Amino acid sequence: MVNQRAVNFGAGPSALPESVLEEACKGLLNFQGTGIGIAEISHRSKEFTSLLADLENNIRTQLDVPLTHKIIFTQGGGTGQFSAVVLNMLARHRLLHPNLSDEQRVMDYVLTGSWSKKAAAEAKRLGGASVHTVVDARTKSIDSKSFDGIPAHADFDFSVDPALIYYCENETVDGVQFSNDETSPASFPFHLLPTGGLWPLVADYSSSFMSRKIPRIADHAVIFAGAQKNVGPAGLTILIVRQDCIVDVDAAAQLGATPVPITMSYKTIADAGSLYNTPSTLSIYIAHLVLERSKKLGGIEYFESVNKRKAQRVYAALREGADRGFYHLKVKEGSGSWMNIVFNVLKNGDDAESKFLIGAEALGMKGLKGHRSVGGIRISLYNAITEEQTDNLVAYIKGWTTPESITLSS
């Protein structure tokens, strides 16, 4: 395998299409005939600003982003947005309700996995309002301590007028994802949100962005995503922000809100066309190439159908193996992620999981080790992973239970 590219099933930074990487190599040397590489070119040049506009248009058209929302680009990843959404949404709430004390303000957090847990912890650290747990999925789990599924709608308890309502659509570490079928009990309970006004709904889509349609996209206040899963390399963060949430944070600060660092202010970024400071030019360029490829293939509709088939094949193979005692799926059926499938290997000798990983790597399949906090195996099926690569992994999963049956596609 030394002279071949491995198949990267890692959770991130994730696989990128080979055709995109090949084109990006050209742009690193000479971007659009300028004689200057994309990593060197001025972010205020007409070539780069045109590229940025094209990237925005690709996201808007492929996701059907309404004109009520702006698309902006920044840095800091999803973790940076754990802080930014708190500060910007508290500034908005301060402008709407200037006479409330910090104790009277509430931020709602839906806890379904490790990332939403971290987001809530950051909100508590920053202060400015109390943090209310809408639901903690661990209390509804089989062992009362694991994140193993989406709780029932009846378990959600939203505040009346929160400054923000945060949820993580796909939990990369724990393999839990809200269903995009609103009739599913594992869907997000939009129907339970507070009545009246515009919902301050914040969605973390970092590990599922552009993999399938976003339910009720117009009803969200903020959607954010680190690019390094389905869109591009690390270094770029994409935000879709409803225009009423792009507020004058300095005016809010004069009323007592926490001052917002200038590069975290949505208004600063939006007013500057995402060019207030030097953006991640290379990451933006590769994201543009990825979404141009996506458009040619059929956009979100194409990837949603492909990703659904990939996930179904892997889950089917794992359930078959689980019935025979070889695997344990860590997430309840119906709540399993399409992007990150987590499980344990139970048998085939001592140190079964280590042997499973070694055997997969010998076949050129890497990045399958589970997150250090939960262990096990994690299969990440981001957009760049093909159906053929998925089928090869499925053959290996099945072959682990009957080794003589392993056959791989050519």
Side-chain angles (χ1 to χ4, degrees):
M1 300 303 300
V2 175
N3 297 320
Q4 300 182 41
R5 277 181 55 80
V7 182
N8 178 13
F9 288 104
S14 63
L16 287 166
E18 286 193 32
S19 61
V20 166
L21 293 174
E22 290 167 355
E23 186 64 26
C25 288
K26 300 175 186 176
L28 270 171
L29 291 172
N30 186 350
F31 173 59
Q32 293 188 357
T34 59
I36 301 173
I38 183 62
E40 309 164 282
I41 200 164
S42 168
H43 60 291
R44 302 195 187 280
S45 65
K46 67 179 187 298
E47 292 86 2
F48 183 80
T49 54
S50 176
L51 175 83
L52 191 63
D54 286 345
L55 174 59
E56 178 183 340
N57 184 62
N58 256 327
I59 294 170
R60 187 174 294 279
T61 55
Q62 291 187 47
L63 272 182
D64 294 326
V65 179
L67 294 177
T68 51
H69 290 60
K70 281 189 173 290
I71 299 171
I72 58 179
F73 305 98
T74 185
Q75 297 155 322
T79 303
Q81 289 307 307
F82 292 169
S83 310
V85 293
V86 168
L87 297 174
N88 281 272
M89 295 303 285
L90 281 179
R92 173 182 182 268
H93 202 255
R94 178 76 62 166
L95 292 169
L96 291 173
H97 307 287
N99 297 321
L100 291 180
S101 66
D102 287 354
E103 291 73 22
Q104 291 172 309
R105 298 182 199 279
V106 180
M107 297 181 284
D108 276 5
Y109 277 78
V110 177
L111 303 188
T112 53
S114 300
W115 289 114
S116 49
K117 179 185 173 186
K118 286 178 182 287
E122 176 64 359
K124 290 177 182 177
R125 193 184 73 84
L126 290 174
S130 61
V131 173
H132 168 65
T133 300
V134 174
V135 66
D136 187 335
R138 289 171 295 186
T139 65
K140 309 300 176 182
S141 66
I142 293 173
D143 63 6
S144 299
K145 62 181 182 181
S146 303
F147 290 112
D148 67 0
I150 301 297
H153 288 174
D155 294 323
F156 285 69
D157 174 31
F158 293 104
S159 301
V160 175
D161 184 21
L164 66 89
I165 303 166
Y166 167 96
Y167 74 100
C168 182
E169 193 269 350
N170 181 68
E171 292 281 3
T172 325
V173 172
D174 305 278
V176 174
Q177 185 173 27
F178 283 94
S179 172
N180 64 341
D181 176 3
E182 289 193 49
T183 66
S184 168
S187 64
F188 187 84
F190 293 99
H191 62 289
L192 296 179
L193 290 173
T195 58
L198 297 170
W199 293 334
L201 187 60
V202 174
D204 179 351
Y205 264 78
S206 287
S207 52
S208 58
F209 192 67
M210 302 303 295
S211 68
R212 64 188 192 187
K213 284 186 175 292
I214 298 176
R216 300 213 195 182
I217 190 169
D219 290 329
H220 287 76
V222 181
I223 294 167
F224 67 84
Q228 68 275 12
K229 310 294 185 179
N230 286 305
V231 182
L236 170 65
T237 309
I238 301 166
L239 292 96
I240 300 172
V241 186
R242 201 172 60 219
Q243 294 193 40
D244 67 281
C245 298
I246 301 173
V247 302
D248 188 336
V249 296
D250 292 334
Q254 291 176 0
L255 296 174
T258 302
V260 181
I262 196 71
T263 56
M264 283 189 170
S265 163
Y266 293 158
K267 188 175 191 304
T268 297
I269 301 168
D271 287 351
S274 299
L275 296 173
Y276 179 79
N277 62 322
T278 307
S280 302
T281 54
L282 178 59
S283 297
I284 287 170
Y285 174 54
I286 295 179
H288 170 264
L289 294 177
V290 167
L291 293 188
E292 280 291 305
R293 174 180 177 269
S294 171
K295 180 171 66 176
K296 291 174 183 175
L297 290 171
I300 288 290
E301 290 81 3
Y302 168 82
F303 279 105
E304 181 162 349
S305 63
V306 169
N307 288 330
K308 185 176 183 178
R309 289 196 298 270
K310 291 188 304 187
Q312 285 175 335
R313 290 172 193 169
V314 173
Y315 277 117
L318 289 171
R319 289 191 189 104
E320 180 183 325
D323 289 342
R324 301 174 58 199
F326 282 86
Y327 303 119
H328 167 66
L329 281 159
K330 300 168 75 171
V331 177
K332 297 172 184 174
E333 191 165 353
S335 296
S337 170
W338 288 13
M339 296 283 96
N340 312 103
I341 300 174
V342 296
F343 62 99
N344 293 113
V345 180
L346 301 181
K347 64 181 181 180
N348 220 335
D350 295 333
D351 299 321
E353 288 185 349
S354 295
K355 291 178 180 177
F356 183 93
L357 293 169
I358 291 169
E361 188 155 336
L363 294 170
M365 296 182 285
K366 297 188 176 184
L368 291 167
K369 188 176 177 63
H371 191 272
R372 63 187 179 277
S373 64
V374 295
I377 309 296
R378 174 171 53 176
I379 299 168
S380 296
L381 298 174
Y382 298 125
N383 285 359
I385 297 296
T386 67
E387 289 190 85
E388 180 184 353
Q389 291 167 338
T390 303
D391 288 342
N392 282 340
L393 179 57
V394 166
Y396 179 67
I397 289 169
K398 290 182 176 180
W400 186 256
T401 65
T402 52
E404 69 278 2
S405 70
I406 295 181
T407 55
L408 298 180
S409 302
S410 58

